[in-house]
Structures are given as structure tokens and as C-alpha cells.
Amino acid sequence: MRVIVVGSGIVGASCAYTASRLGAEVLLADAAMPGQATAAGAGIVCPWTSALADDPVWYDLACASVRYLPGLVDELTERGPADVGYRQVGALIQVHSGYEQREVRQRLLARRAEAPEIGDVAALTGTEARGLFPPLREDRAAVSVAGACRVDGRRLAEALARAAVARGAVITAGRAQLVCQRGRATGVMVKGQVIEADAVVAATGAWTGAFLEPAGVPVAVTPQRGQIVHLSVAPADTGRWPVVLPAGSGHYLLAFEGSRVVVGATREKGAGFDNRVTAGGLAEVLRNALAAAPGLAGASYLETRVGFRPVGPDARPLLGPVPGVDGLVVASGLGANGLTMGPYAGAVAARVALAQPPGIDLAPLDPLRAAEHAAAAG
Ligand SMILES: Cc1cc2nc3c(=O)[nH]c(=O)nc-3n(C[C@H](O)[C@H](O)[C@H](O)COP(=O)(O)OP(=O)(O)OC[C@H]3O[C@@H](n4cnc5c(N)ncnc54)[C@H](O)[C@@H]3O)c2cc1C
């Protein structure tokens, strides 16, 4: 069976890897669009603290995704070293009051019964928090969540694509155009050449609407621009610094090996596919980072990355077969959580493309859901 996966971000790379493992002949096409979300993403894996956790569909998928990651990372290292920056470093939720600290701690402890991956949950003083992440302000207490992880999305996607190639997948560079005939996706056209397949997977991130146009189906995915700043605190050893989530701000800080601290990020609707770094974006990110961690004021500026989060009609991913178009599968709309959920979502998409049981209920994730309603209403 031949499967064409369009898009080699985290979702497409994972899909190509799983489809290859399941014995499919895989072609992975990517147009190297500026603003790939995977290459810009921070890499925080800590869904239990998200406001979205109140949606059981989103939360179950997020928890399944968290459980899927360690085994996947192990698989990738079986054939040789693959440093994907994955580490359980824990997270600190910075709080403003003792009341908030108790409330956050109790909410996490209640969730832990069904999600033991959350690990130890502890109340820390500001001084204790600063002992773990030295640039932090000392007057903010925190709740620590031992199970939180971080991963380098760019490296994970590259490692997945390499592992797919090792199992026979072929990578092609160029913009793919969907080819549909009589209600069926029959393949794609890349650089003027038509390539046929039994199934096509649209792992095209924020560009999914444009890719699906030839199928004549409305899909509600829009880009949400994120600007994120990388700093160096050399020569500090940052490899085990936790993720920091200042409560209520929507911003965060995390660290990787090599004295690298990542702070972000903007969430900009309406910027379209404009992938510029803006003065306002930089100011917002740095203001929030320094408010949480004034000790970063002396850090060196390394770079700013810009990515387009693929945002669907609601927070749930768009995942599964496209009703009315045989052979077409969508895996998109992962929004701000695609580095957490993308590896799992890509694997589910591969199973759907190969007509295997997906392992989850796809009905609430119907790729056409709200766009259909909007089209009918308007
Ligand atoms: C600043 C920022 C911070 C983030 N932080 C986190 C985080 O901490 N934790 C987390 O879980 N998630 C985070 N995310 C979200 C996460 O990065 C995204 O949800 C995820 O990367 C989306 O992956 P994707 O594969 O769907 O899309 P993308 O990574 O955007 O990949 C889509 C690919 O499709 C290709 N493509 C599109 N159209 C075509 C075509 N016609 N032909 C060929 N190729 C095509 C593009 O070139 C691109 O490579 C963050 C995102 C941003 C921007």
C-alpha cells in the first residue's frame, strides 16, 4: 500500500514513521514553508495544567500523547544516538498567593488519580523555586510538577523522518498539490509530476485549508503566529532546569542543554502568514520573561523563531478520514499543543490511512466539523 504524507512537521514525520513501520510504501513531501510550527515550538509537555484539560476529549488525547512519547523516543534511539532533547525536567507553576498555590496543587493532585504521569506535586517557596531555576524572582512561590517534560520539536521531527527513511520511506522537496478524481484522493502533484497513492495524509499544519482546496471540502484551520526568543546564560549548566509556567500569563520559560533558555511566546491571531519578527512581539516576550525571571536581564540574545500554530475551530485536533473523499486523511489543528500531541496524532493518522483501527474514537475530531456548520449557516 502506498501512502503519501504531505508535511514533515512533527505530525507528518510521525505519520511517515508509523506508516513505514506498518509496512507501507511511504512518500513524505514538504515544501519548507517559512514558519513551520514544529521548528519554532518551545517543546513543553505538561498538558495537566492547561485550561483545556476540562474538555475530556482534548484531555484524554493529551494524556495518551504524553504516555506515547517515552516509548517513541526509546525506539528512535534503538538504531543509534538520536538526541531529541527529550527530558523529564519537571515544571514550576509560579503563583501569586498562598490561596492560588493551594488551589493549583489540589487541582493537580485530583487529576493525578487518572494520570499518574503527573508525578510528585509539591508546594515550593520562591527561594526553593529559584534553587531550581536560578534567574527566577525570589518572591514568587510555586507548585512543582515532577512529570513535566520538554522536547526539541525540530530534532524530534528530523529523527522521525530519518527513521522513516531507514524503513524505506522516500522524502521529496516541493509543494504538493492534492489530486482528486470522482470523490477520491488519488495522489499529489509535485513539481509538475503526478504521484499516485492509495491514501494521502494532509499533515500540512496551518496550510491545511489551501492544500485541501482541490477536494472541495471546507476545513477551518487558521495560522496563529508565535514569536519565541532563545537566550544564552553561558556558562550555566541548564540541562536540568525545569519548565516555568507563570500562572495566568500564558507565557513560559524553559531550558535546554548548552546554556540555552527559551522564553515565549506571542499568540497572534490575524497576522496571517507574515513570518516577521516584530518589535511588539519581542517586547511582549521579553517583558513577560523578565517579569518572571529578572535574572535573565544579563543573558545573551541568540535568536527569535517564528511559527504558525495550526488552529482549528476549537481546541481539539482535526484528525481522521475526510467524509466524502475516499483516501484522504487529515491530521492538523493541534494549535499550541502539537509538540505534545503531534507524535501520537501522526501515528493515529498512519493507522487510519492504512485502514487499521485508530485506537481512539475519531468522531469528536471530525476534520470538517465546524467548517461544515459555518458553510451551512452562511
Ligand atoms: C512559538 C510556538 C511555541 C510552541 N510551543 C509548544 C509547546 O511548548 N508544546 C507543544 O506541545 N506545542 C507547542 N507549539 C505547537 C506546535 O509547535 C504545533 O502544534 C506543531 O508543531 C504543529 O505541527 P504540524 O506538523 O501540524 O505543523 P507544522 O510543523 O507547521 O508542519 C507543517 C508542514 O507542512 C508543510 N506543508 C504545508 N503545505 C504543504 C504543501 N502543499 N506541500 C508540501 N508541504 C506542505 C510545511 O512546509 C510544514 O513543514 C508551539 C508552537 C509555536 C509556534
Side-chain angles (χ1 to χ4, degrees):
M1 182 161 187
R2 180 183 248 194
V3 176
I4 297 176
V5 181
V6 182
S8 68
I10 194 73
V11 177
S14 170
C15 180
Y17 169 68
T18 300
S20 308
R21 282 200 67 187
L22 293 174
E25 189 188 330
V26 175
L27 181 82
L28 177 59
D30 197 282
M33 301 290 206
Q36 186 201 64
T38 298
I44 300 165
V45 179
C46 185
W48 319 289
T49 57
S50 169
L52 300 175
D54 291 335
D55 172 5
V57 172
W58 184 90
Y59 188 60
D60 287 353
L61 195 61
C63 288
S65 301
V66 168
R67 288 179 199 125
Y68 179 69
L69 264 175
L72 179 69
V73 172
D74 284 350
E75 273 171 36
L76 291 174
T77 47
E78 266 168 20
R79 289 172 170 244
D83 181 8
V84 297
Y86 179 73
R87 179 172 273 181
Q88 187 181 329
V89 289
L92 299 176
I93 301 153
Q94 258 188 341
V95 292
H96 298 89
S97 65
Y99 172 80
E100 192 177 29
Q101 191 179 42
R102 280 190 296 281
E103 202 264 334
V104 168
R105 186 165 171 268
Q106 274 159 16
R107 189 163 6 107
L108 284 162
L109 287 173
R111 286 188 177 140
R112 197 172 62 175
E114 288 188 357
E117 302 77 24
I118 289 175
D120 286 344
V121 177
L124 302 188
T125 64
T127 311
E128 286 167 336
R130 200 158 103 161
L132 298 170
F133 195 111
L136 288 186
R137 55 191 292 169
E138 205 165 7
D139 59 350
R140 282 280 151 83
V143 176
S144 71
V145 189
C149 301
R150 48 87 165 145
V151 67
D152 183 328
R154 190 181 281 202
R155 285 203 213 155
L156 180 57
E158 286 168 359
L160 284 163
R162 272 199 309 276
V165 168
R167 291 173 186 271
V170 172
I171 295 185
T172 186
R175 189 163 190 150
Q177 208 182 321
L178 181 63
V179 178
C180 287
Q181 284 168 352
R182 293 183 290 280
R184 179 174 183 84
T186 55
V188 298
M189 184 157 76
V190 185
K191 293 182 193 150
Q193 195 196 341
V194 173
I195 309 163
E196 295 189 335
D198 301 294
V200 177
V201 180
T204 35
W207 299 270
T208 300
F211 177 69
L212 292 179
E213 265 170 29
V217 290
V219 171
V221 180
T222 51
Q224 184 199 67
R225 182 167 69 185
Q227 302 185 50
I228 185 165
V229 174
H230 288 226
L231 305 169
S232 168
V233 290
D237 178 1
T238 50
R240 292 188 183 275
W241 286 14
V243 170
V244 178
L245 304 167
S249 88
H251 280 251
Y252 46 74
L253 307 89
L254 68 158
F256 288 87
E257 280 73 16
S259 306
R260 184 173 286 251
V261 173
V262 178
V263 300
T266 64
R267 290 170 192 245
E268 302 167 77
K269 292 179 194 150
F273 287 102
D274 175 354
N275 72 326
R276 288 175 308 123
V277 175
T278 65
L282 266 185
E284 178 190 325
V285 168
L286 292 175
R287 188 175 59 246
N288 278 281
L290 293 173
L296 288 175
S300 311
Y301 172 83
L302 293 177
E303 61 172 315
T304 301
R305 296 184 183 178
V306 181
F308 300 113
R309 301 179 187 91
V311 175
D314 48 51
R316 297 174 182 175
L318 306 174
L319 182 59
V322 175
V325 188
D326 291 344
L328 184 59
V329 179
V330 168
S332 182
L334 279 84
N337 297 283
L339 296 182
T340 304
M341 292 180 167
Y344 185 70
V348 170
R351 290 197 290 270
V352 174
L354 294 174
Q356 297 197 2
I360 56 168
D361 178 14
L362 293 173
L365 309 175
D366 176 0
L368 302 188
R369 57 188 186 276
E372 256 180 355
H373 299 152

